[in-house]
Amino acid sequence: MAHAHAVKRYTGLLDWLTTVDHKKIGILYLFAGFFFFIIGGLEAVLIRIQLWEPMNDFVSAETFNQLLTMHGTTMIFLAAMPMIFALMNAVIPLQIGARDVAFPFVNALGFWTFFFGAVLLNVSWFAGGAPDAGWTSYVPLASPVYSSTHGVDYYVIGLQIAGLGTLIGGINFLVTIINMRAPGMSFMRMPMFTWAAFITSALILFAFPALTVGLVALMFDRLFEANFFDVSQGGNAVLWEHIFWIFGHPEVYILILPAFGIISEVISTFSRKRLFGYSSMVFATVLIGFLGFMVWAHHMFTTGLGPIANALFSIATMLIAVPTGIKIFNWLFTMWGGSIKFTTANLFAVGFVPTFVMGGVTGVMLAAAPADFQYHDSYFVVAHFHYVIVGGLVLGLFSGLFYWWPKMFGRVLNETLGKLFFWLFYIGFHLTFFIQHFLGLMGMPRRVWRYLDGMGFNEMNLISSVGAMLMGLGTIVFIINMIVTGLKPRNASNDPWEDGRTLEWTIPSPPPEYNFAQTPLVRGYDAFWKEKMEGKNAMTPAEPLGPIHMPSPSILPFLMSLGLFIAGFGFMYHNYYIGIGGLVITFGCMFFRSVIDDHGFHIEPEELQDKGVKA
Amino acid sequence: MANQPSAANNNGRRHKSEGPQKHIIAFIFSILLTVIAFAAVAAGEVNETFIYIILIGMAILQVFVQMAFWMHMKDRGHIYPIIGILFGITIAITAVVMAQYWVWW
Amino acid sequence: MSGHSHVDGQLPHEPEKATLEGRNKVLGFWLFLGGETVLFGTLFSAFLALRHQVLDGPTEQELFSLPLVAAATLLLLTSSLTSVFAIQAMHNNQVKAMINWLIITVLLGLGFLGLEIYEFYHYVHEGHGFTTSAFSSSFYTLVGFHGAHVAFGILWISLLIAQVFKKGLNVVTAPKIYVAGMYWHFIDVVWVFIFTVVYLMGKVG
């Protein structure tokens, strides 16, 4: 059967636009996410400049609201989520011994919808003002009555498109992890990062549809005069808060769980010890995932839900501290007695543990409903969620980036610059946010444009602003590190840390497009480490060398997302020809995808030999 | 491809040239449950809560029948679909409870 | 190994699960339906929260007519049965019968959609427009989302019928048809809750 399909191979820009290779998509996610991380960071710096002295006039009140809204929205949806997807794409198929994800085409589609949604959201800066109702976009502030410009429309449509990409990405990873594991890779042998990605994907699957409905309702209210949240027409503003947080609370666990996974891998590798309490880690991850859906109303204690609801959600929230505590102790016990190497990746991981504990403790403080009435809407809350998101997720992400950078790019990041980056960022972070706890306790409200002199806020705000500059400086060092490393030759070995425990370290850095010439046979948890302990330096293959089937590249994901992008503008400005035209592009691409069979192509064994398969 | 009925056959792979009978039975069952629901409303003048309970009960029963038979959820190898749908239903019920108790006061 | 080794030979009993691609597709679609459950659950919750906010518009009791809903229900329920027959025919490798059952499914779906469009048209004339009240907005959004799903299903299954005509039944087309069948059942299951929660409970009050 010689199905000799001509191999379509593109080069240059077209290669990146058409790729369905999970490793390249991971790199796309990384750079797109990092780009928006810089944008969101610049917005944060502008906010801190405005607040560095009382009654500052650096930006106007309107601009401040826009900066604030876009900082939150950008960091969560356009920076953190894609960087998580970057690591998941780059690592998960390798960790489970798969040649690709379950749906390579859908994977590309997920990236491009995210990307075009993100671009649409940011176009708002140049089209009459960005969204300014906060990242939670509460009505009535976000209703057409109080927000009459197009700002919030950009929020609604941009997030809708980007959310679609995230949702299909989540389904893709669920199926990949369930169906594509190598022989012997049972669920209880999966690396912790894979487990975290699995639960995160499940949370994405069940949380994002709620956001979809919320955004649809708000869009109908804003564009087509519906009355979901319009109190004068019988609507209800609290309904938006509920729907938003039924999505929004799982969302923060979607963000933090992958960081937990990364930290588990890094600490275990650089302590040269098996992860302590693996099965309790898995259990804790699953439990956090489930409880994450049952606590959303703790964001709404002060809306007046009543004592029963407040008590219920208080207790449920405090329960989450239990599985989280299990994880913290497991990390500590993993390090205990290990021969610890303080690489940059491990510095970030070790730095993560106390920082995240602090964020967790303030979280339990906020979970006490009566106390929350005092903390509510103050800088105490701002300090809390930055401790868990920056001190938790972002430190975890940087740890993961330093750890897996050689696997993604074939080059080890510079350690000296890396450590400089860590210390600048870490000190800057605590300087910025530790002090904000006290600002909050003293009564400084969050989301204020400026504050009066003589309230005792001056020095603390100045310190906070200085810290933010340090974080910015650290990020610049990281960018320099990326450039310096990128100029070096590609010389990372298969296992550059020499203590790799999982399957991704058994193959070249960066891996060939088919990942594994022969699917490995997994004989236990920490599959590669197990082989190493038995004196082998490679995995036992589970199959003979044979032709490898690969999916063909396609431009359709790009065009499909472009169609949504165009349609978004059309509907926003009530130009229905353009709106429908955009949808026609999208559905037309779906039609072609369905009609044209994708046979893919085969890489023959001889070709594998040419490329030098290691024994 | 007639095959002999045998107890061991139920989950076998090859021979399952499934007849239409069980689907027709499921259909009749669904119609019956629907008729009960409509009749309960049409009858009217009964306790409102009682009718609500009947309606919800009939809907849940019908969904169970359709998912088990028509969507093959009772068959082997459907553990992940069952987990997925059940979790989806859990979140959906949570949202509905929210709408009932915590939106108006 | 994968893809097209079965194209010319005898199809396996469950062709939708013969390849890894097929199994992936079926599992991925199941999970998608899990997400859709949350989607409709949230739409239901918004509707339930707002259903008594009718303002000056007609109430649920004045608006809904049970015979129309019963007819729509019968159409969709029957179409679910015919789509399961189509899958059964596929498992028995009877391509002709499968196509016929799919065509009947599509026709019944079109009938349902026609009734719904008539219903909406009628409501608007009774003063129950999309912007009338919070009740009307949430009603049209919930039922309209379901109707849009039906419409998409009709287009999708029609496209698949055309594909089977051209390419025949093989391990590439079989998973598509199986998945479309699942989608159609799911739409029916959602409708069970719509006629219960929206129409019947609306009639009760």
Side-chain angles (χ1 to χ4, degrees), chain A residues 312-327:
Chain A
L312 214 66
F313 283 102
S314 243
I315 292 165
T317 306
M318 291 177 188
L319 272 183
I320 292 186
V322 177
T324 314
I326 292 176
K327 283 181 167 290

Side-chain angles (χ1 to χ4, degrees), chain A residues 1 3 5 101-103 167 171 174-176 178-180 205-207 209-210 212-214 216-217 220-221 224-230 232-236 239 243 246 549 587 590-591 593-597 599 602, chain C residues 1-2 4-6 8 20-21 23-25 27-29 31-32 34-36 38-40 42-43 45-47 49-50 53 55 130-138 141 145 152 156 159-160 163 167 170 172-173 176:
Chain A
M1 266 223 203
H3 277 288
H5 302 293
V101 291
F103 308 111
L167 179 66
I171 293 176
L174 282 172
V175 178
T176 304
I178 292 174
N179 269 3
M180 309 281 282
L205 172 61
F206 297 111
T212 306
V213 171
V216 162
F220 283 177
D221 267 19
F224 307 120
E225 293 167 38
N227 311 309
F228 282 97
F229 310 120
D230 182 353
S232 67
Q233 298 294 313
N236 187 309
L239 183 62
I243 294 178
I246 281 182
H549 182 248
F587 283 101
M590 281 169 78
F591 172 81
R593 173 66 185 169
S594 179
V595 172
I596 303 167
D597 285 341
H599 293 296
H602 284 88
Chain C
M1 283 276 256
S2 56
H4 21 80
S5 49
H6 284 294
D8 307 314
L20 179 61
E21 283 85 351
R23 287 192 296 275
N24 282 347
K25 189 170 273 184
L27 176 60
F29 204 80
L31 295 173
F32 170 72
E36 288 264 277
V38 179
L39 183 98
F40 278 104
T42 317
L43 284 168
S45 85
F47 173 79
L50 302 174
Q53 309 300 312
L55 300 183
F130 183 64
T131 59
T132 306
S133 62
F135 161 61
S136 73
S137 295
S138 60
T141 306
F145 248 76
F152 183 81
W156 185 16
L159 180 65
L160 291 184
Q163 280 191 48
K167 301 175 192 165
N170 56 40
V172 177
T173 47
K176 295 185 188 182

Side-chain angles (χ1 to χ4, degrees), chain A residues 212-487:
Chain A
T212 306
V213 171
L215 291 176
V216 162
L218 187 56
M219 180 179 84
F220 283 177
D221 267 19
R222 291 186 58 85
L223 297 181
F224 307 120
E225 293 167 38
N227 311 309
F228 282 97
F229 310 120
D230 182 353
V231 178
S232 67
Q233 298 294 313
N236 187 309
V238 180
L239 183 62
W240 164 264
E241 299 187 21
H242 274 299
I243 294 178
F244 184 85
W245 286 117
I246 281 182
F247 148 78
H249 199 79
E251 166 70 15
V252 301
Y253 290 107
I254 291 167
L255 295 177
I256 198 63
L257 286 180
F260 287 171
I262 294 166
I263 300 300
S264 305
E265 303 276 318
V266 172
I267 285 188
S268 168
T269 301
F270 292 112
S271 305
R272 287 183 244 180
K273 268 183 70 189
R274 182 191 156 106
L275 183 66
F276 186 91
Y278 170 76
S279 41
S280 69
M281 279 305 229
V282 171
F283 167 76
T285 309
V286 175
L287 198 61
I288 291 174
F290 178 76
L291 285 176
F293 278 100
M294 300 299 155
V295 297
W296 78 90
H298 69 211
H299 298 271
M300 302 165 61
F301 281 151
T302 57
T303 45
L305 296 176
I308 295 174
N310 276 8
L312 214 66
F313 283 102
S314 243
I315 292 165
T317 306
M318 291 177 188
L319 272 183
I320 292 186
V322 177
T324 314
I326 292 176
K327 283 181 167 290
I328 301 287
F329 281 109
N330 281 339
W331 290 319
L332 294 179
F333 289 138
T334 305
M335 283 189 270
W336 189 348
S339 56
I340 303 176
K341 266 201 252 177
F342 283 105
T343 57
T344 309
N346 202 24
L347 276 178
F348 274 108
V350 174
F352 164 98
V353 176
T355 315
F356 188 78
V357 169
M358 290 172 71
V361 167
T362 51
V364 177
M365 290 170 74
L366 286 160
D372 180 70
F373 275 72
Q374 302 303 314
Y375 308 135
H376 185 81
D377 230 353
S378 77
Y379 260 83
F380 189 82
V381 180
V382 177
H384 159 70
F385 66 69
H386 280 95
Y387 260 83
V388 284
I389 295 184
V390 183
L393 167 70
V394 174
L395 292 186
L397 274 177
F398 284 137
S399 175
L401 283 179
F402 273 85
Y403 183 57
W404 281 304
W405 197 273
K407 195 46 71 184
M408 290 177 81
F409 297 98
R411 300 174 175 94
V412 185
L413 280 169
N414 185 306
E415 280 290 307
T416 317
L417 285 174
K419 282 172 184 161
L420 182 64
F421 166 43
F422 168 76
W423 287 113
L424 281 172
F425 195 85
Y426 198 67
I427 293 171
F429 164 76
H430 282 284
L431 216 52
T432 311
F433 295 109
F434 186 70
I435 207 89
Q436 288 185 3
H437 291 114
F438 302 103
L439 273 175
L441 293 177
M442 286 167 67
M444 180 163 166
R446 64 188 280 207
R447 291 174 166 167
V448 290
W449 167 45
R450 53 186 184 180
Y451 50 91
L452 287 170
D453 198 1
M455 311 275 287
F457 298 160
N458 301 7
E459 290 76 17
M460 291 191 189
N461 269 300
L462 180 62
I463 293 171
S464 186
S465 294
V466 170
M469 301 302 144
L470 278 184
M471 289 168 81
L473 211 61
T475 310
I476 291 172
V477 173
F478 183 48
I479 296 172
I480 293 172
N481 197 345
M482 284 198 248
I483 296 169
V484 168
T485 310
L487 295 175

Side-chain angles (χ1 to χ4, degrees), chain B residues 24-46:
Chain B
I24 292 177
I25 292 170
F27 180 70
I28 293 171
F29 213 67
S30 293
I31 294 284
L32 212 68
L33 293 168
T34 309
V35 168
I36 293 175
F38 273 83
V41 174
E45 306 304 318
V46 202

Side-chain angles (χ1 to χ4, degrees), chain B residues 39-100:
Chain B
V41 174
E45 306 304 318
V46 202
N47 183 331
E48 235 178 62
T49 325
F50 180 64
I51 295 188
Y52 276 164
I53 292 171
I54 290 191
L55 290 181
I56 302 289
M58 293 303 120
I60 290 173
L61 256 179
Q62 176 160 186
V63 164
F64 182 78
V65 168
Q66 295 196 7
M67 283 196 156
F69 287 91
W70 291 354
M71 294 176 86
H72 302 282
M73 274 173 92
K74 64 176 179 47
D75 293 357
R76 264 191 330 170
H78 279 72
I79 184 69
Y80 295 110
I82 288 172
I83 293 173
I85 295 287
L86 278 186
F87 204 72
I89 289 174
T90 311
I91 309 303
I93 291 175
T94 312
V96 168
V97 168
M98 166 277 278
Q100 285 298 295

